[in-house]
Amino acid sequence: SPAERAFAITGNDSTDLTIFPRAIYVGGAGNVKVITLGGDTVTFSGALAGTIIPVRVTRVFSTDTTATNLLGLY
């Protein structure tokens, strides 16, 4: 089902998000490095502005994340 709420994501290399979103909205193009809910560390490379990445994550890193204006959708 679609998200009901959203919050701004500020990347952090050592702290998990307080809410684990269903997806990430990318406001400004770039890479998004995350830890998935399943524990995998991956980088979504070349995400375009306006993209919604349908992945549940526990952390969005500040290092190696170049995309901007990220929103967590939940």
Side-chain angles (χ1 to χ4, degrees):
S1 62
E4 297 175 359
R5 301 189 70 185
F7 64 96
I9 294 176
T10 301
N12 188 303
D13 291 342
S14 59
T15 304
D16 287 344
L17 298 169
T18 56
I19 299 168
F20 301 153
R22 295 181 190 183
I24 298 172
Y25 171 81
V26 179
N31 301 333
V32 183
K33 183 177 179 181
V34 302
I35 299 177
T36 67
L37 198 59
D40 302 313
T41 300
V42 297
T43 301
F44 294 94
S45 299
L48 300 175
T51 298
I52 294 176
I53 302 171
V55 63
R56 301 213 54 198
V57 301
T58 59
R59 183 178 303 168
V60 176
F61 290 88
S62 57
T63 302
D64 299 328
T65 295
T66 57
T68 59
N69 301 316
L70 301 177
L71 297 175
L73 307 175
Y74 69 108

